[in-house]
Amino acid sequence: AQSVSQHNHHVILSEAASLELGCNYSYGGTVNLFWYVQYPGQHLQLLLKYFSGDPLVKGIKGFEAEFIKSKFSFNLRKPSVQWSDTAEYFCAVISGGSQGNLIFGKGTKLSVKP
Amino acid sequence: NAGVTQTPKFRILKIGQSMTLQCTQDMNHNYMYWYRQDPGMGLKLIYYSVGAGITDKGEVPNGYNVSRSTTEDFPLRLELAAPSQTSVYFCASSYSRDTSYEQYFGPGTRLTVT
């Protein structure tokens, strides 16, 4: 079965620190990859997505992610975090032919100290 | 566009009661989904639908039922509520011709079964 692993359950950073959240998936075929963010008390919002083309994807609010096919990874990065980035981040994958069913990782909670 | 809307926002049920969680989207998306989110577990797919009249089970369908009589609506029915169904429920939709398979999420329904 397909799975998505997010390596960190909770990350605590100070403002202006750099961020990298790890994500690995298990499916070997064609995949579409997503990072969603959930701010406290809110619903999931798309940060960025990869489905073809340039493996370095830029999203909203200064986030980016790099798809490395050989490593089955899609790590999320941001050079300088802000207090407002405090949220839970979810990596998700859809494999080709899966009727668009997203498989989610368990999430990484990010706390940014002002 | 309102996007994906869900009602109610919050609900407390007693064990054995039943209820229907409502989900409506106004984006003319043909795919719709129901997920549950439990702390530290990410989101799990309950049921999905690829069009009116067509539904299928996801990863955790037990204790739930769905129907899809129109493109816009995808209600989730809980029969005989159990404490294990205490969770946050998210509805989502996507468009099959969007090759990125991006899903759009509703604001969620927080359900407590006591």
Side-chain angles (χ1 to χ4, degrees):
Chain A
Q2 301 162 48
S3 64
V4 176
S5 297
Q6 291 184 241
H7 313 303
N8 309 99
H9 295 299
H10 192 187
V11 173
I12 301 172
L13 295 173
S14 297
E15 275 194 316
S18 64
L19 171 71
E20 181 160 3
L21 300 182
C23 173
N24 287 91
Y25 61 94
S26 63
Y27 186 70
T30 303
V31 292
N32 292 9
L33 296 154
F34 305 82
W35 276 97
Y36 282 87
V37 61
Q38 187 177 30
Y39 297 103
Q42 295 190 27
H43 63 289
L44 276 77
Q45 302 170 42
L46 184 70
L47 266 183
L48 48 78
K49 62 185 178 185
Y50 170 82
F51 58 103
S52 66
D54 189 342
L56 184 60
V57 180
K58 295 195 183 299
I60 61 171
K61 304 185 181 186
F63 286 90
E64 65 178 30
E66 186 174 13
F67 170 49
I68 303 179
K69 190 173 182 180
S70 60
K71 295 186 178 180
F72 299 91
S73 71
F74 190 55
N75 293 354
L76 181 70
R77 299 193 292 251
K78 185 172 184 178
S80 176
V81 295
Q82 301 172 320
W83 176 79
S84 58
D85 293 323
T86 294
E88 192 158 16
Y89 293 81
F90 294 93
C91 182
V93 62
I94 291 175
S95 61
S98 66
Q99 303 279 17
N101 295 341
L102 274 174
I103 306 297
F104 281 88
K106 293 184 177 182
T108 298
K109 190 168 291 189
L110 172 65
S111 299
V112 180
K113 298 184 293 184
Chain B
N1 285 354
V4 180
T5 57
Q6 293 182 238
T7 56
K9 286 187 168 48
F10 304 94
R11 184 72 186 269
I12 299 174
L13 281 182
K14 294 192 185 303
I15 294 171
Q17 288 184 320
S18 61
M19 76 166 292
T20 300
L21 283 66
Q22 301 292 344
C23 174
T24 300
Q25 54 89 13
D26 62 359
M27 297 175 282
N28 204 30
H29 286 171
N30 47 346
Y31 288 177
M32 295 187 74
Y33 312 84
W34 274 106
Y35 294 91
R36 59 176 288 170
Q37 182 184 27
D38 300 302
M41 297 301 293
L43 278 76
K44 304 281 188 187
L45 183 67
I46 304 171
Y47 271 95
Y48 66 97
S49 169
V50 300
I54 307 169
T55 63
D56 209 346
K57 296 178 180 178
E59 185 180 356
V60 290
N62 290 346
Y64 308 95
N65 277 301
V66 293
S67 59
R68 183 99 181 267
S69 56
T70 66
T71 299
E72 295 79 18
D73 300 307
F74 190 41
L76 177 72
R77 178 88 178 156
L78 278 71
E79 307 280 3
L80 297 174
S84 60
Q85 294 177 304
T86 293
S87 189
V88 182
Y89 292 84
F90 289 100
C91 180
S93 71
S94 66
Y95 186 49
S96 60
R97 295 195 177 185
D98 174 1
T99 54
S100 76
Y101 296 125
E102 179 180 346
Q103 292 187 15
Y104 297 78
F105 285 81
T109 294
R110 186 175 293 273
L111 176 67
T112 301
V113 182
T114 62

